[in-house]
Amino acid sequence: MLVFGHMNPDTDTIVSAIAYADLASKLGKDAKAVAQGAVTPESAYVLEKFGLATPEVVTSVAGQQVAVVDTTELSQLPSDIGEAEVVAVVDHHKLGDLATSQPLEMWVWPVGCTGTVLKNMYDFYNVEIPKGIAGAMMCAILSDTVMFKSVTCTDADKKAVEALAKIAGVADPMEIGLEMFKVKSAVDGTPIRELVFRDYKDFDMDGNGVGIGQLEVVDGAMLLPLVDDLYADIAKVKEEKGHHTVILMLTDIMKEGSEILYVTDDKAVFKKAFGIDAADKSFWMQGCMSRKKQIVPDFQGKAFK
Amino acid sequence: MLVFGHMNPDTDTIVSAIAYADLASKLGKDAKAVAQGAVTPESAYVLEKFGLATPEVVTSVAGQQVAVVDTTELSQLPSDIGEAEVVAVVDHHKLGDLATSQPLEMWVWPVGCTGTVLKNMYDFYNVEIPKGIAGAMMCAILSDTVMFKSVTCTDADKKAVEALAKIAGVADPMEIGLEMFKVKSAVDGTPIRELVFRDYKDFDMDGNGVGIGQLEVVDGAMLLPLVDDLYADIAKVKEEKGHHTVILMLTDIMKEGSEILYVTDDKAVFKKAFGIDAADKSFWMQGCMSRKKQIVPDFQGKAFK
């Protein structure tokens, strides 16, 4: 069985695939964590720190048994997923358009991170979490919840981090979290396209292609010299993909908000989705830290109605 | 929050809605079990036996918070489910085409009955199961697994029945199970259309409408005098719904197999789905007791390719 998460894998997708594969193996299944693409610098830092191997890249899964973590959106899964047998899903997002032809096991919770669901699955199945995997899961939760600052963060996430830190022998999770976000924030010398795609997802919204990326930095000021290049590149992405709208959230962790950089066929989508008269090229959304909870639902539900 | 299962509710759908509403209430949510239609004689027997109220019929849910049990197929849900906020799903079927705009809680296991998943949810949340609900859940599992004879039955289902029987103070679950199946088998004086729709579901398979009903009886011989009328009625159902195929499984619990009564635009679907050269009007499938596991997957996967 192959275990993987979404395209443009983030730390939660990578670590949750590793954790689920570990759990499934210990429950007697033959399971291997893979990824649909190269890991981010943040994930590389986490894997290195906790001594875990980087999952091999696999993008075709026809004929295989698979378990999917951290998404149920077909647009974020291998194009031949329909020819695979999906036996399990672990996720924390809205329910997407993945469907199966056989009954399966699904654990989906409205929490900040798939890692939190997996922590509870290990407990449910009475399986011990290996020290290294526990540390990486702790980091995945800190990353997805922006160190508990995201509106997506729940008590279950905080409890899981506390328990996982104990297992991993980490005295101060926040210290590692900040270190991790500094790695994530590093933009010097990174190609612009890589920044745009660092945490990027495509959606089909009422027949309109929409791309939404998010770039989280500890201090938004460090992105100022790059904004023009980032803007030019999302315009290119929009053209290449034939999308209606491409958004790049420049999320400032300290200020707890996001500058929404965008290219669109019709600015009215922002008025319809958020009630905002968008300035040209970008606008600020105070308190907006979560694509999943603060951008996608309103955009999907209202922008094209 | 309204809690309900699929159209043409069976005992699992009715009892699981009641159980989830009870669990959610005890976890501090305002929850009410409802149903999309009248209960079957079997369900009426179970509700009566364990002193539970019959859920009110509700078929429109726009603007409501809802929890869905025992299905994720839009064709089996209220037509305005897209305007409801689905906050939870508990199921044991393949993943269908229900999607949500917000993160949600999902418990889906590949077991014989949604009741089995709910038993484990009660345990997970450390909530005591009321005696009456435990007895009804026990019956739901015995019904869905055809008293453990169905291929869908798992160890988890058997364990759940054992534990629920203890809570309900039932010494011999199989005795109640057989009594229940006798009620279910009762066909005398029941209108033919009611028999056809007793446990009937519509599917969209590659753009083709397919209706599949199942009539389980302790002894198939009791259906013999009705076969011609049942056949004529599924032909009518096919015409009324504009379906490609309508199937009625006449499942013999003692013989452990089903006579597949059918009306179709193209008999080749049975060859493609099951490798069977179907005789006119009907054919026998030994060992076939489960629509979910032994009919739907092959039919959906192969009949229209």
Side-chain angles (χ1 to χ4, degrees), chain A residues 200-220:
Chain A
Y200 173 95
K201 289 180 183 172
D202 285 313
F203 298 86
D204 180 336
M205 299 186 179
D206 298 309
N208 301 285
V210 175
I212 310 180
Q214 185 171 22
L215 203 49
E216 288 166 308
V217 292
V218 173
D219 173 8

Side-chain angles (χ1 to χ4, degrees), chain A residues 11 15 41-52 135-136 139-140 180:
Chain A
T11 299
V15 172
E42 182 195 74
S43 299
Y45 166 82
V46 170
L47 294 175
E48 158 88 30
K49 178 146 197 99
F50 292 101
L52 300 174
C139 284
M180 181 178 69

Side-chain angles (χ1 to χ4, degrees), chain A residues 289-303:
Chain A
M289 321 260 313
S290 165
R291 170 177 55 200
K292 179 166 75 90
K293 213 146 174 175
Q294 295 171 295
I295 298 290
V296 173
D298 279 341
F299 216 77
Q300 187 140 44
K302 303 180 198 162

Side-chain angles (χ1 to χ4, degrees), chain B residues 244-281:
Chain B
H244 181 285
T245 301
V246 173
I247 291 169
L248 183 62
M249 300 169 63
L250 306 178
T251 300
D252 188 314
I253 293 170
M254 289 310 174
K255 278 197 196 137
E256 304 196 11
S258 297
E259 185 74 19
I260 308 296
L261 205 62
Y262 73 88
V263 189
T264 183
D265 287 341
D266 179 9
K267 242 170 61 166
V269 290
F270 299 108
K271 182 78 178 166
K272 285 194 232 168
F274 311 120
I276 288 176
D277 288 309
D280 280 350
K281 296 191 177 179

Side-chain angles (χ1 to χ4, degrees), chain B residues 194-270:
Chain B
E194 217 171 277
L195 293 178
V196 168
F197 278 173
R198 187 171 272 182
D199 179 9
Y200 172 95
K201 289 180 183 174
D202 285 313
F203 298 86
D204 180 336
M205 299 187 180
D206 298 310
N208 301 285
V210 176
I212 310 180
Q214 184 171 21
L215 203 48
E216 287 166 307
V217 292
V218 173
D219 174 8
M222 62 203 296
L223 288 177
L224 282 180
L226 299 175
V227 167
D228 286 348
D229 288 348
L230 290 169
Y231 183 81
D233 201 56
I234 63 170
K236 261 190 230 159
V237 170
K238 178 179 179 302
E239 202 185 311
E240 287 162 20
K241 294 190 179 255
H243 275 355
H244 181 285
T245 301
V246 173
I247 291 169
L248 183 62
M249 300 169 63
L250 306 178
T251 300
D252 188 314
I253 293 170
M254 289 310 174
K255 278 197 196 137
E256 304 196 11
S258 297
E259 185 74 19
I260 308 296
L261 205 62
Y262 73 88
V263 189
T264 183
D265 287 341
D266 179 9
K267 242 170 61 166
V269 290
F270 299 108

Side-chain angles (χ1 to χ4, degrees), chain A residues 72 89 92-110 120 124-125 292-293 297, chain B residues 72 89 92-110 120 124-125 292-293 297:
Chain A
T72 55
V89 169
H92 71 122
H93 296 87
K94 73 189 186 69
L95 180 57
D97 51 1
L98 176 67
T100 70
S101 57
Q102 289 282 351
L104 74 169
E105 178 170 358
M106 289 184 75
W107 290 72
V108 181
W109 286 9
N120 284 276
F124 183 85
Y125 285 114
K292 179 166 75 90
K293 213 146 174 175
Chain B
T72 55
V89 169
H92 70 122
H93 296 87
K94 74 187 185 71
L95 180 58
D97 50 2
L98 176 67
T100 70
S101 57
Q102 290 282 352
L104 74 169
E105 178 170 358
M106 290 184 75
W107 290 71
V108 181
W109 286 10
N120 283 276
F124 183 86
Y125 285 114
K292 179 165 77 89
K293 214 146 174 176

Side-chain angles (χ1 to χ4, degrees), chain B residues 161-221:
Chain B
V161 164
E162 197 183 337
L164 291 165
K166 246 180 226 163
I167 297 168
V170 170
D172 185 356
M174 290 305 173
E175 191 186 321
I176 292 185
L178 206 61
E179 193 57 42
M180 180 178 70
F181 271 100
K182 275 187 195 147
V183 173
K184 189 176 199 165
S185 299
V187 290
D188 292 354
T190 311
I192 289 292
R193 177 57 59 97
E194 217 171 277
L195 293 178
V196 168
F197 278 173
R198 187 171 272 182
D199 179 9
Y200 172 95
K201 289 180 183 174
D202 285 313
F203 298 86
D204 180 336
M205 299 187 180
D206 298 310
N208 301 285
V210 176
I212 310 180
Q214 184 171 21
L215 203 48
E216 287 166 307
V217 292
V218 173
D219 174 8

